[in-house]
Amino acid sequence: VLYVGNGTLEALAGKEVKNKFVLMDFNSRWHFRYAIMMGAKGVIYAPTIGSNRFESLQKLYDIPIDFPRLYVSEEDGALLREKIEAKGEITVHVRANMMWENVEVPNIVGFIKGRGKQASEAIVISAFYDSWSIVPGVSPGATDALGVSTLLELARVFSNSTNTPGRSIIILALSGHYEGLWGAREYIDRHFSELGSQVKIFAGLDLSTGSDDLGIFVGLAYGYTYYQVLSPRFEWVITKLFSDYL
């Protein structure tokens, strides 16, 4: 194993990496491809302070190539760097066995009946409950849990008889979000005829700790802006939701 820092061509210059594993900082963008081009056997990623979603996304690779990429703990990464810096390179034995399993995951639907004349109409409030990580073994879902936890709190509030709205509420926990919105598409396919008639509005919660900005989804795209700009422009949405619909 050789340590190659962030894996740039400059960091790899003068190092013979062919048929060897390289220890690379996780915050190295897509530079593992340089290691592939130079004949490396695989990459061992060491955790880096300040890692984010975009660093993870740049590790995606759609080409089926026999090039294992492993992720070690912060302690193991520091230990490997220490030993490599002392000796130049070290010999390691690598054993990896990632098992994949196909599972069926349901959409979970709750129903809170409205108490007004429009109780036959419904508002769908949804959030996804699955999580994703470029390293499957470290996918705690802390950020992804924001949406479904908020959904559960809304269910608790609206199920209280004093807060029951005029229209009925469909509480929808969606699966397969990271499989091309599979759960959402499945629900729409099954209930398409109800849209605009029974289902008056569909609101999806997609919350994140990555920003304080508020995003409004429009069709297949969305834009972010500051609340101070967004609020006046979409005040009609707030009025419609909390006055007319709820």
Side-chain angles (χ1 to χ4, degrees):
V1 179
L2 294 172
Y3 177 56
V4 295
N6 62 2
T8 61
L9 289 175
E10 291 77 8
L12 288 164
K15 292 184 170 66
E16 180 55 56
V17 301
K18 188 172 183 180
N19 295 324
K20 298 176 182 177
F21 273 87
V22 294
L23 179 68
M24 190 178 294
D25 298 337
F26 185 78
N27 286 6
S28 53
R29 301 177 62 192
W30 44 264
H31 298 155
F32 69 93
R33 302 182 189 183
Y34 290 142
I36 294 175
M37 294 165 57
M38 298 179 69
K41 182 178 289 187
V43 167
I44 300 174
Y45 283 117
T48 313
I49 295 174
S51 297
N52 54 45
R53 177 191 180 107
F54 300 104
E55 279 290 344
S56 297
L57 291 176
Q58 291 185 84
K59 306 296 187 293
L60 295 174
Y61 206 39
D62 294 331
I63 298 177
I65 186 172
D66 185 12
F67 186 78
R69 292 180 293 157
L70 311 174
Y71 185 87
V72 297
S73 68
E74 184 176 352
E75 294 76 13
D76 289 342
L79 179 62
L80 286 171
R81 280 197 299 268
E82 179 183 337
K83 292 188 175 298
I84 291 172
E85 289 171 357
K87 298 183 178 181
E89 66 178 75
I90 59 175
T91 300
V92 298
H93 296 278
V94 176
R95 177 181 294 179
N97 185 23
M98 185 67 203
M99 301 297 293
W100 298 95
E101 181 181 357
N102 289 322
V103 297
E104 291 187 6
V105 286
N107 287 334
I108 302 170
V109 183
F111 185 78
I112 302 171
K113 186 173 179 58
R115 61 180 177 180
K117 295 180 180 179
Q118 297 170 306
S120 60
E121 299 175 348
I123 295 171
V124 177
I125 306 178
S126 73
F128 59 88
Y129 67 86
D130 56 331
S131 185
W132 174 89
S133 172
I134 193 66
V135 185
V138 289
S139 180
T143 294
D144 288 328
L146 289 173
V148 74
S149 60
T150 302
L151 184 70
L152 292 173
E153 176 63 10
L154 288 173
R156 185 191 67 81
V157 170
F158 286 130
S159 61
N160 188 312
S161 59
T162 59
N163 299 320
T164 303
R167 286 182 171 86
S168 297
I169 301 289
I170 296 174
I171 299 294
L172 179 60
L174 295 167
S175 62
H177 179 78
Y178 290 103
E179 304 298 331
L181 306 179
W182 192 288
R185 290 187 289 110
E186 181 74 15
Y187 184 84
I188 294 299
D189 285 347
R190 294 190 179 195
H191 299 274
F192 187 79
S193 62
E194 302 168 14
L195 300 180
S197 55
Q198 180 186 354
V199 176
K200 289 300 182 180
I201 191 169
F202 192 112
L205 304 174
D206 190 354
L207 308 180
S208 171
T209 58
S211 171
D212 292 331
D213 295 344
L214 180 63
I216 295 293
F217 286 77
V218 182
L220 296 178
Y222 60 91
Y224 290 104
T225 185
Y226 290 104
Y227 175 78
Q228 293 86 342
V229 177
L230 183 70
S231 183
R233 187 176 301 174
F234 291 95
E235 188 174 354
W236 67 271
V237 176
I238 300 172
T239 303
K240 204 75 173 173
L241 278 173
F242 291 97
S243 297
D244 297 346
Y245 288 150
L246 297 180

